[in-house]
mmCIF file with all atom_site columns, all heavy atoms in Angstrom:
data_model
loop_
_atom_site.group_PDB
_atom_site.id
_atom_site.type_symbol
_atom_site.label_atom_id
_atom_site.label_alt_id
_atom_site.label_comp_id
_atom_site.label_asym_id
_atom_site.label_entity_id
_atom_site.label_seq_id
_atom_site.pdbx_PDB_ins_code
_atom_site.Cartn_x
_atom_site.Cartn_y
_atom_site.Cartn_z
_atom_site.occupancy
_atom_site.B_iso_or_equiv
_atom_site.pdbx_formal_charge
_atom_site.auth_seq_id
_atom_site.auth_comp_id
_atom_site.auth_asym_id
_atom_site.auth_atom_id
_atom_site.pdbx_PDB_model_num
ATOM 1   N N   . LYS L 1 1  ? 0.871  -1.179 0.023   1.00 89.00 ? 602 LYS L N   1
ATOM 2   C CA  . LYS L 1 1  ? 0.011  0.004  -0.008  1.00 89.00 ? 602 LYS L CA  1
ATOM 3   C C   . LYS L 1 1  ? 0.897  1.214  -0.003  1.00 89.00 ? 602 LYS L C   1
ATOM 4   O O   . LYS L 1 1  ? 1.414  1.655  0.994   1.00 89.00 ? 602 LYS L O   1
ATOM 5   C CB  . LYS L 1 1  ? -0.869 -0.003 1.226   1.00 89.00 ? 602 LYS L CB  1
ATOM 6   C CG  . LYS L 1 1  ? -1.812 1.220  1.368   1.00 89.00 ? 602 LYS L CG  1
ATOM 7   C CD  . LYS L 1 1  ? -2.874 1.197  0.289   1.00 89.00 ? 602 LYS L CD  1
ATOM 8   C CE  . LYS L 1 1  ? -3.931 2.287  0.610   1.00 89.00 ? 602 LYS L CE  1
ATOM 9   N NZ  . LYS L 1 1  ? -3.649 3.538  -0.087  1.00 89.00 ? 602 LYS L NZ  1
ATOM 10  N N   . PRO L 1 2  ? 1.141  1.815  -1.162  1.00 90.00 ? 603 PRO L N   1
ATOM 11  C CA  . PRO L 1 2  ? 2.080  2.943  -1.245  1.00 90.00 ? 603 PRO L CA  1
ATOM 12  C C   . PRO L 1 2  ? 1.635  4.130  -0.448  1.00 90.00 ? 603 PRO L C   1
ATOM 13  O O   . PRO L 1 2  ? 0.437  4.339  -0.239  1.00 90.00 ? 603 PRO L O   1
ATOM 14  C CB  . PRO L 1 2  ? 2.109  3.261  -2.746  1.00 90.00 ? 603 PRO L CB  1
ATOM 15  C CG  . PRO L 1 2  ? 1.544  2.079  -3.431  1.00 90.00 ? 603 PRO L CG  1
ATOM 16  C CD  . PRO L 1 2  ? 0.584  1.469  -2.472  1.00 90.00 ? 603 PRO L CD  1
ATOM 17  N N   . TYR L 1 3  ? 2.599  4.911  -0.020  1.00 89.00 ? 604 TYR L N   1
ATOM 18  C CA  . TYR L 1 3  ? 2.293  6.139  0.693   1.00 89.00 ? 604 TYR L CA  1
ATOM 19  C C   . TYR L 1 3  ? 2.212  7.289  -0.300  1.00 89.00 ? 604 TYR L C   1
ATOM 20  O O   . TYR L 1 3  ? 3.117  7.492  -1.061  1.00 89.00 ? 604 TYR L O   1
ATOM 21  C CB  . TYR L 1 3  ? 3.365  6.455  1.737   1.00 89.00 ? 604 TYR L CB  1
ATOM 22  C CG  . TYR L 1 3  ? 3.180  7.776  2.430   1.00 89.00 ? 604 TYR L CG  1
ATOM 23  C CD1 . TYR L 1 3  ? 2.039  7.988  3.215   1.00 89.00 ? 604 TYR L CD1 1
ATOM 24  C CD2 . TYR L 1 3  ? 4.108  8.780  2.323   1.00 89.00 ? 604 TYR L CD2 1
ATOM 25  C CE1 . TYR L 1 3  ? 1.818  9.194  3.838   1.00 89.00 ? 604 TYR L CE1 1
ATOM 26  C CE2 . TYR L 1 3  ? 3.936  10.018 2.922   1.00 89.00 ? 604 TYR L CE2 1
ATOM 27  C CZ  . TYR L 1 3  ? 2.771  10.218 3.721   1.00 89.00 ? 604 TYR L CZ  1
ATOM 28  O OH  . TYR L 1 3  ? 2.585  11.427 4.328   1.00 89.00 ? 604 TYR L OH  1
ATOM 29  N N   . MET L 1 4  ? 1.092  7.996  -0.264  1.00 89.00 ? 605 MET L N   1
ATOM 30  C CA  . MET L 1 4  ? 0.865  9.178  -1.101  1.00 89.00 ? 605 MET L CA  1
ATOM 31  C C   . MET L 1 4  ? 0.865  10.432 -0.208  1.00 89.00 ? 605 MET L C   1
ATOM 32  O O   . MET L 1 4  ? -0.114 10.655 0.514   1.00 89.00 ? 605 MET L O   1
ATOM 33  C CB  . MET L 1 4  ? -0.452 9.079  -1.850  1.00 89.00 ? 605 MET L CB  1
ATOM 34  C CG  . MET L 1 4  ? -0.552 7.940  -2.862  1.00 89.00 ? 605 MET L CG  1
ATOM 35  S SD  . MET L 1 4  ? 0.387  8.255  -4.365  1.00 89.00 ? 605 MET L SD  1
ATOM 36  C CE  . MET L 1 4  ? 1.592  6.961  -4.211  1.00 89.00 ? 605 MET L CE  1
ATOM 37  N N   . PRO L 1 5  ? 1.969  11.192 -0.198  1.00 88.00 ? 606 PRO L N   1
ATOM 38  C CA  . PRO L 1 5  ? 1.995  12.357 0.675   1.00 88.00 ? 606 PRO L CA  1
ATOM 39  C C   . PRO L 1 5  ? 0.990  13.414 0.231   1.00 88.00 ? 606 PRO L C   1
ATOM 40  O O   . PRO L 1 5  ? 0.605  13.496 -0.901  1.00 88.00 ? 606 PRO L O   1
ATOM 41  C CB  . PRO L 1 5  ? 3.444  12.856 0.512   1.00 88.00 ? 606 PRO L CB  1
ATOM 42  C CG  . PRO L 1 5  ? 3.812  12.417 -0.875  1.00 88.00 ? 606 PRO L CG  1
ATOM 43  C CD  . PRO L 1 5  ? 3.130  11.101 -1.066  1.00 88.00 ? 606 PRO L CD  1
ATOM 44  N N   . LEU L 1 6  ? 0.634  14.280 1.212   1.00 83.00 ? 607 LEU L N   1
ATOM 45  C CA  . LEU L 1 6  ? -0.235 15.388 0.883   1.00 83.00 ? 607 LEU L CA  1
ATOM 46  C C   . LEU L 1 6  ? 0.556  16.385 0.023   1.00 83.00 ? 607 LEU L C   1
ATOM 47  O O   . LEU L 1 6  ? 1.707  16.681 0.297   1.00 83.00 ? 607 LEU L O   1
ATOM 48  C CB  . LEU L 1 6  ? -0.732 16.087 2.152   1.00 83.00 ? 607 LEU L CB  1
ATOM 49  C CG  . LEU L 1 6  ? -1.577 15.238 3.106   1.00 83.00 ? 607 LEU L CG  1
ATOM 50  C CD1 . LEU L 1 6  ? -1.886 16.008 4.370   1.00 83.00 ? 607 LEU L CD1 1
ATOM 51  C CD2 . LEU L 1 6  ? -2.887 14.840 2.410   1.00 83.00 ? 607 LEU L CD2 1
ATOM 52  N N   . GLY L 1 7  ? -0.089 16.893 -1.028  1.00 88.00 ? 608 GLY L N   1
ATOM 53  C CA  . GLY L 1 7  ? 0.623  17.824 -1.912  1.00 88.00 ? 608 GLY L CA  1
ATOM 54  C C   . GLY L 1 7  ? 0.345  17.546 -3.345  1.00 88.00 ? 608 GLY L C   1
ATOM 55  O O   . GLY L 1 7  ? -0.703 16.983 -3.717  1.00 88.00 ? 608 GLY L O   1
ATOM 56  N N   . THR L 1 8  ? 1.298  17.898 -4.228  1.00 93.00 ? 609 THR L N   1
ATOM 57  C CA  . THR L 1 8  ? 1.092  17.701 -5.663  1.00 93.00 ? 609 THR L CA  1
ATOM 58  C C   . THR L 1 8  ? 1.448  16.297 -6.072  1.00 93.00 ? 609 THR L C   1
ATOM 59  O O   . THR L 1 8  ? 2.158  15.538 -5.352  1.00 93.00 ? 609 THR L O   1
ATOM 60  C CB  . THR L 1 8  ? 1.983  18.691 -6.427  1.00 93.00 ? 609 THR L CB  1
ATOM 61  O OG1 . THR L 1 8  ? 3.377  18.347 -6.173  1.00 93.00 ? 609 THR L OG1 1
ATOM 62  C CG2 . THR L 1 8  ? 1.748  20.117 -6.030  1.00 93.00 ? 609 THR L CG2 1
ATOM 63  N N   . LEU L 1 9  ? 0.994  15.905 -7.251  1.00 94.00 ? 610 LEU L N   1
ATOM 64  C CA  . LEU L 1 9  ? 1.333  14.607 -7.833  1.00 94.00 ? 610 LEU L CA  1
ATOM 65  C C   . LEU L 1 9  ? 2.814  14.516 -8.118  1.00 94.00 ? 610 LEU L C   1
ATOM 66  O O   . LEU L 1 9  ? 3.450  13.455 -7.973  1.00 94.00 ? 610 LEU L O   1
ATOM 67  C CB  . LEU L 1 9  ? 0.520  14.353 -9.089  1.00 94.00 ? 610 LEU L CB  1
ATOM 68  C CG  . LEU L 1 9  ? 0.735  12.995 -9.815  1.00 94.00 ? 610 LEU L CG  1
ATOM 69  C CD1 . LEU L 1 9  ? 0.410  11.858 -8.870  1.00 94.00 ? 610 LEU L CD1 1
ATOM 70  C CD2 . LEU L 1 9  ? -0.077 12.918 -11.061 1.00 94.00 ? 610 LEU L CD2 1
ATOM 71  N N   . ARG L 1 10 ? 3.401  15.647 -8.508  1.00 93.00 ? 611 ARG L N   1
ATOM 72  C CA  . ARG L 1 10 ? 4.837  15.690 -8.806  1.00 93.00 ? 611 ARG L CA  1
ATOM 73  C C   . ARG L 1 10 ? 5.631  15.326 -7.524  1.00 93.00 ? 611 ARG L C   1
ATOM 74  O O   . ARG L 1 10 ? 6.569  14.538 -7.533  1.00 93.00 ? 611 ARG L O   1
ATOM 75  C CB  . ARG L 1 10 ? 5.237  17.069 -9.296  1.00 93.00 ? 611 ARG L CB  1
ATOM 76  C CG  . ARG L 1 10 ? 6.735  17.204 -9.692  1.00 93.00 ? 611 ARG L CG  1
ATOM 77  C CD  . ARG L 1 10 ? 7.100  18.640 -9.909  1.00 93.00 ? 611 ARG L CD  1
ATOM 78  N NE  . ARG L 1 10 ? 6.284  19.245 -10.957 1.00 93.00 ? 611 ARG L NE  1
ATOM 79  C CZ  . ARG L 1 10 ? 6.569  19.236 -12.255 1.00 93.00 ? 611 ARG L CZ  1
ATOM 80  N NH1 . ARG L 1 10 ? 7.642  18.608 -12.667 1.00 93.00 ? 611 ARG L NH1 1
ATOM 81  N NH2 . ARG L 1 10 ? 5.799  19.814 -13.120 1.00 93.00 ? 611 ARG L NH2 1
ATOM 82  N N   . ALA L 1 11 ? 5.208  15.900 -6.393  1.00 92.00 ? 612 ALA L N   1
ATOM 83  C CA  . ALA L 1 11 ? 5.865  15.588 -5.112  1.00 92.00 ? 612 ALA L CA  1
ATOM 84  C C   . ALA L 1 11 ? 5.708  14.118 -4.757  1.00 92.00 ? 612 ALA L C   1
ATOM 85  O O   . ALA L 1 11 ? 6.615  13.480 -4.202  1.00 92.00 ? 612 ALA L O   1
ATOM 86  C CB  . ALA L 1 11 ? 5.287  16.467 -4.010  1.00 92.00 ? 612 ALA L CB  1
ATOM 87  N N   . ALA L 1 12 ? 4.535  13.533 -5.082  1.00 92.00 ? 613 ALA L N   1
ATOM 88  C CA  . ALA L 1 12 ? 4.323  12.117 -4.791  1.00 92.00 ? 613 ALA L CA  1
ATOM 89  C C   . ALA L 1 12 ? 5.232  11.228 -5.604  1.00 92.00 ? 613 ALA L C   1
ATOM 90  O O   . ALA L 1 12 ? 5.696  10.199 -5.132  1.00 92.00 ? 613 ALA L O   1
ATOM 91  C CB  . ALA L 1 12 ? 2.841  11.746 -5.037  1.00 92.00 ? 613 ALA L CB  1
ATOM 92  N N   . LEU L 1 13 ? 5.496  11.645 -6.878  1.00 94.00 ? 614 LEU L N   1
ATOM 93  C CA  . LEU L 1 13 ? 6.348  10.839 -7.751  1.00 94.00 ? 614 LEU L CA  1
ATOM 94  C C   . LEU L 1 13 ? 7.787  10.805 -7.256  1.00 94.00 ? 614 LEU L C   1
ATOM 95  O O   . LEU L 1 13 ? 8.485  9.852  -7.391  1.00 94.00 ? 614 LEU L O   1
ATOM 96  C CB  . LEU L 1 13 ? 6.263  11.392 -9.163  1.00 94.00 ? 614 LEU L CB  1
ATOM 97  C CG  . LEU L 1 13 ? 4.989  11.012 -9.963  1.00 94.00 ? 614 LEU L CG  1
ATOM 98  C CD1 . LEU L 1 13 ? 4.826  11.946 -11.146 1.00 94.00 ? 614 LEU L CD1 1
ATOM 99  C CD2 . LEU L 1 13 ? 5.082  9.578  -10.414 1.00 94.00 ? 614 LEU L CD2 1
ATOM 100 N N   . PHE L 1 14 ? 8.254  11.918 -6.704  1.00 93.00 ? 615 PHE L N   1
ATOM 101 C CA  . PHE L 1 14 ? 9.652  12.033 -6.292  1.00 93.00 ? 615 PHE L CA  1
ATOM 102 C C   . PHE L 1 14 ? 9.859  11.722 -4.811  1.00 93.00 ? 615 PHE L C   1
ATOM 103 O O   . PHE L 1 14 ? 10.993 11.736 -4.328  1.00 93.00 ? 615 PHE L O   1
ATOM 104 C CB  . PHE L 1 14 ? 10.175 13.463 -6.564  1.00 93.00 ? 615 PHE L CB  1
ATOM 105 C CG  . PHE L 1 14 ? 10.547 13.712 -8.001  1.00 93.00 ? 615 PHE L CG  1
ATOM 106 C CD1 . PHE L 1 14 ? 9.642  14.294 -8.855  1.00 93.00 ? 615 PHE L CD1 1
ATOM 107 C CD2 . PHE L 1 14 ? 11.803 13.339 -8.464  1.00 93.00 ? 615 PHE L CD2 1
ATOM 108 C CE1 . PHE L 1 14 ? 9.987  14.526 -10.192 1.00 93.00 ? 615 PHE L CE1 1
ATOM 109 C CE2 . PHE L 1 14 ? 12.157 13.539 -9.777  1.00 93.00 ? 615 PHE L CE2 1
ATOM 110 C CZ  . PHE L 1 14 ? 11.237 14.150 -10.681 1.00 93.00 ? 615 PHE L CZ  1
ATOM 111 N N   . TYR L 1 15 ? 8.784  11.409 -4.087  1.00 92.00 ? 616 TYR L N   1
ATOM 112 C CA  . TYR L 1 15 ? 8.880  11.174 -2.641  1.00 92.00 ? 616 TYR L CA  1
ATOM 113 C C   . TYR L 1 15 ? 9.825  9.998  -2.369  1.00 92.00 ? 616 TYR L C   1
ATOM 114 O O   . TYR L 1 15 ? 9.808  9.002  -3.066  1.00 92.00 ? 616 TYR L O   1
ATOM 115 C CB  . TYR L 1 15 ? 7.480  10.812 -2.074  1.00 92.00 ? 616 TYR L CB  1
ATOM 116 C CG  . TYR L 1 15 ? 7.463  10.693 -0.578  1.00 92.00 ? 616 TYR L CG  1
ATOM 117 C CD1 . TYR L 1 15 ? 7.288  11.823 0.231   1.00 92.00 ? 616 TYR L CD1 1
ATOM 118 C CD2 . TYR L 1 15 ? 7.558  9.426  0.048   1.00 92.00 ? 616 TYR L CD2 1
ATOM 119 C CE1 . TYR L 1 15 ? 7.265  11.697 1.581   1.00 92.00 ? 616 TYR L CE1 1
ATOM 120 C CE2 . TYR L 1 15 ? 7.515  9.354  1.425   1.00 92.00 ? 616 TYR L CE2 1
ATOM 121 C CZ  . TYR L 1 15 ? 7.393  10.440 2.181   1.00 92.00 ? 616 TYR L CZ  1
ATOM 122 O OH  . TYR L 1 15 ? 7.362  10.349 3.567   1.00 92.00 ? 616 TYR L OH  1
ATOM 123 N N   . PRO L 1 16 ? 10.755 10.082 -1.404  1.00 90.00 ? 617 PRO L N   1
ATOM 124 C CA  . PRO L 1 16 ? 10.847 11.113 -0.328  1.00 90.00 ? 617 PRO L CA  1
ATOM 125 C C   . PRO L 1 16 ? 11.796 12.263 -0.663  1.00 90.00 ? 617 PRO L C   1
ATOM 126 O O   . PRO L 1 16 ? 12.156 13.017 0.230   1.00 90.00 ? 617 PRO L O   1
ATOM 127 C CB  . PRO L 1 16 ? 11.329 10.313 0.866   1.00 90.00 ? 617 PRO L CB  1
ATOM 128 C CG  . PRO L 1 16 ? 12.269 9.328  0.237   1.00 90.00 ? 617 PRO L CG  1
ATOM 129 C CD  . PRO L 1 16 ? 11.626 8.928  -1.084  1.00 90.00 ? 617 PRO L CD  1
ATOM 130 N N   . GLN L 1 17 ? 12.275 12.376 -1.922  1.00 90.00 ? 618 GLN L N   1
ATOM 131 C CA  . GLN L 1 17 ? 13.152 13.430 -2.286  1.00 90.00 ? 618 GLN L CA  1
ATOM 132 C C   . GLN L 1 17 ? 12.384 14.650 -2.721  1.00 90.00 ? 618 GLN L C   1
ATOM 133 O O   . GLN L 1 17 ? 11.141 14.625 -2.886  1.00 90.00 ? 618 GLN L O   1
ATOM 134 C CB  . GLN L 1 17 ? 14.107 12.977 -3.398  1.00 90.00 ? 618 GLN L CB  1
ATOM 135 C CG  . GLN L 1 17 ? 15.059 11.863 -2.995  1.00 90.00 ? 618 GLN L CG  1
ATOM 136 C CD  . GLN L 1 17 ? 16.025 11.517 -4.097  1.00 90.00 ? 618 GLN L CD  1
ATOM 137 O OE1 . GLN L 1 17 ? 16.148 12.196 -5.098  1.00 90.00 ? 618 GLN L OE1 1
ATOM 138 N NE2 . GLN L 1 17 ? 16.770 10.403 -3.899  1.00 90.00 ? 618 GLN L NE2 1
ATOM 139 N N   . VAL L 1 18 ? 13.067 15.767 -2.921  1.00 90.00 ? 619 VAL L N   1
ATOM 140 C CA  . VAL L 1 18 ? 12.425 16.988 -3.370  1.00 90.00 ? 619 VAL L CA  1
ATOM 141 C C   . VAL L 1 18 ? 12.065 16.852 -4.840  1.00 90.00 ? 619 VAL L C   1
ATOM 142 O O   . VAL L 1 18 ? 12.853 16.366 -5.649  1.00 90.00 ? 619 VAL L O   1
ATOM 143 C CB  . VAL L 1 18 ? 13.369 18.178 -3.134  1.00 90.00 ? 619 VAL L CB  1
ATOM 144 C CG1 . VAL L 1 18 ? 12.718 19.474 -3.662  1.00 90.00 ? 619 VAL L CG1 1
ATOM 145 C CG2 . VAL L 1 18 ? 13.702 18.340 -1.661  1.00 90.00 ? 619 VAL L CG2 1
ATOM 146 N N   . ALA L 1 19 ? 10.840 17.301 -5.213  1.00 89.00 ? 620 ALA L N   1
ATOM 147 C CA  . ALA L 1 19 ? 10.415 17.210 -6.592  1.00 89.00 ? 620 ALA L CA  1
ATOM 148 C C   . ALA L 1 19 ? 11.257 18.060 -7.523  1.00 89.00 ? 620 ALA L C   1
ATOM 149 O O   . ALA L 1 19 ? 11.751 19.113 -7.154  1.00 89.00 ? 620 ALA L O   1
ATOM 150 C CB  . ALA L 1 19 ? 8.941  17.624 -6.660  1.00 89.00 ? 620 ALA L CB  1
ATOM 151 N N   . ARG L 1 20 ? 11.437 17.550 -8.754  1.00 89.00 ? 621 ARG L N   1
ATOM 152 C CA  . ARG L 1 20 ? 12.243 18.245 -9.737  1.00 89.00 ? 621 ARG L CA  1
ATOM 153 C C   . ARG L 1 20 ? 11.379 18.555 -10.978 1.00 89.00 ? 621 ARG L C   1
ATOM 154 O O   . ARG L 1 20 ? 10.436 17.831 -11.302 1.00 89.00 ? 621 ARG L O   1
ATOM 155 C CB  . ARG L 1 20 ? 13.446 17.388 -10.151 1.00 89.00 ? 621 ARG L CB  1
ATOM 156 C CG  . ARG L 1 20 ? 14.354 17.012 -8.964  1.00 89.00 ? 621 ARG L CG  1
ATOM 157 C CD  . ARG L 1 20 ? 15.645 16.398 -9.496  1.00 89.00 ? 621 ARG L CD  1
ATOM 158 N NE  . ARG L 1 20 ? 15.442 15.132 -10.148 1.00 89.00 ? 621 ARG L NE  1
ATOM 159 C CZ  . ARG L 1 20 ? 15.512 13.927 -9.547  1.00 89.00 ? 621 ARG L CZ  1
ATOM 160 N NH1 . ARG L 1 20 ? 15.742 13.873 -8.238  1.00 89.00 ? 621 ARG L NH1 1
ATOM 161 N NH2 . ARG L 1 20 ? 15.357 12.828 -10.262 1.00 89.00 ? 621 ARG L NH2 1
ATOM 162 N N   . ASN L 1 21 ? 11.709 19.615 -11.680 1.00 89.00 ? 622 ASN L N   1
ATOM 163 C CA  . ASN L 1 21 ? 11.000 20.004 -12.885 1.00 89.00 ? 622 ASN L CA  1
ATOM 164 C C   . ASN L 1 21 ? 11.566 19.280 -14.090 1.00 89.00 ? 622 ASN L C   1
ATOM 165 O O   . ASN L 1 21 ? 12.360 19.843 -14.865 1.00 89.00 ? 622 ASN L O   1
ATOM 166 C CB  . ASN L 1 21 ? 11.064 21.518 -13.078 1.00 89.00 ? 622 ASN L CB  1
ATOM 167 C CG  . ASN L 1 21 ? 10.335 22.262 -12.004 1.00 89.00 ? 622 ASN L CG  1
ATOM 168 O OD1 . ASN L 1 21 ? 9.279  21.827 -11.576 1.00 89.00 ? 622 ASN L OD1 1
ATOM 169 N ND2 . ASN L 1 21 ? 10.920 23.403 -11.543 1.00 89.00 ? 622 ASN L ND2 1
ATOM 170 N N   . GLU L 1 22 ? 11.210 18.009 -14.225 1.00 87.00 ? 623 GLU L N   1
ATOM 171 C CA  . GLU L 1 22 ? 11.632 17.176 -15.380 1.00 87.00 ? 623 GLU L CA  1
ATOM 172 C C   . GLU L 1 22 ? 10.427 16.666 -16.103 1.00 87.00 ? 623 GLU L C   1
ATOM 173 O O   . GLU L 1 22 ? 10.139 15.507 -16.171 1.00 87.00 ? 623 GLU L O   1
ATOM 174 C CB  . GLU L 1 22 ? 12.496 16.024 -14.827 1.00 87.00 ? 623 GLU L CB  1
ATOM 175 C CG  . GLU L 1 22 ? 13.752 16.451 -14.071 1.00 87.00 ? 623 GLU L CG  1
ATOM 176 C CD  . GLU L 1 22 ? 14.507 15.280 -13.521 1.00 87.00 ? 623 GLU L CD  1
ATOM 177 O OE1 . GLU L 1 22 ? 14.093 14.146 -13.701 1.00 87.00 ? 623 GLU L OE1 1
ATOM 178 O OE2 . GLU L 1 22 ? 15.578 15.519 -12.868 1.00 87.00 ? 623 GLU L OE2 1
ATOM 179 N N   . ASP L 1 23 ? 9.690  17.636 -16.695 1.00 90.00 ? 624 ASP L N   1
ATOM 180 C CA  . ASP L 1 23 ? 8.396  17.289 -17.292 1.00 90.00 ? 624 ASP L CA  1
ATOM 181 C C   . ASP L 1 23 ? 8.507  16.307 -18.454 1.00 90.00 ? 624 ASP L C   1
ATOM 182 O O   . ASP L 1 23 ? 7.626  15.444 -18.610 1.00 90.00 ? 624 ASP L O   1
ATOM 183 C CB  . ASP L 1 23 ? 7.707  18.566 -17.743 1.00 90.00 ? 624 ASP L CB  1
ATOM 184 C CG  . ASP L 1 23 ? 7.185  19.409 -16.590 1.00 90.00 ? 624 ASP L CG  1
ATOM 185 O OD1 . ASP L 1 23 ? 7.509  19.028 -15.443 1.00 90.00 ? 624 ASP L OD1 1
ATOM 186 O OD2 . ASP L 1 23 ? 6.555  20.429 -16.833 1.00 90.00 ? 624 ASP L OD2 1
ATOM 187 N N   . ALA L 1 24 ? 9.564  16.440 -19.264 1.00 92.00 ? 625 ALA L N   1
ATOM 188 C CA  . ALA L 1 24 ? 9.710  15.523 -20.385 1.00 92.00 ? 625 ALA L CA  1
ATOM 189 C C   . ALA L 1 24 ? 9.914  14.098 -19.897 1.00 92.00 ? 625 ALA L C   1
ATOM 190 O O   . ALA L 1 24 ? 9.287  13.156 -20.409 1.00 92.00 ? 625 ALA L O   1
ATOM 191 C CB  . ALA L 1 24 ? 10.895 15.966 -21.260 1.00 92.00 ? 625 ALA L CB  1
ATOM 192 N N   . THR L 1 25 ? 10.776 13.932 -18.877 1.00 93.00 ? 626 THR L N   1
ATOM 193 C CA  . THR L 1 25 ? 10.998 12.603 -18.316 1.00 93.00 ? 626 THR L CA  1
ATOM 194 C C   . THR L 1 25 ? 9.737  12.063 -17.689 1.00 93.00 ? 626 THR L C   1
ATOM 195 O O   . THR L 1 25 ? 9.372  10.904 -17.850 1.00 93.00 ? 626 THR L O   1
ATOM 196 C CB  . THR L 1 25 ? 12.136 12.663 -17.268 1.00 93.00 ? 626 THR L CB  1
ATOM 197 O OG1 . THR L 1 25 ? 13.315 13.150 -17.861 1.00 93.00 ? 626 THR L OG1 1
ATOM 198 C CG2 . THR L 1 25 ? 12.371 11.315 -16.631 1.00 93.00 ? 626 THR L CG2 1
#
C-alpha cells in the first residue's frame, strides 16, 4: 500500500526526495 504524501502529484512521484522540474522525463 504505497504512501501518497499530501501535496502535488509531482511531489508524490519524487517522494521522499524533493520534486524536480523534469516534465519531459
Side-chain angles (χ1 to χ4, degrees):
K602 178 69 169 94
Y604 175 63
M605 295 286 115
L607 298 175
T609 64
L610 180 60
R611 184 191 301 272
L614 283 162
F615 281 95
Y616 187 84
Q618 295 184 10
V619 178
R621 303 190 294 267
N622 294 321
E623 300 177 359
D624 288 5
T626 301

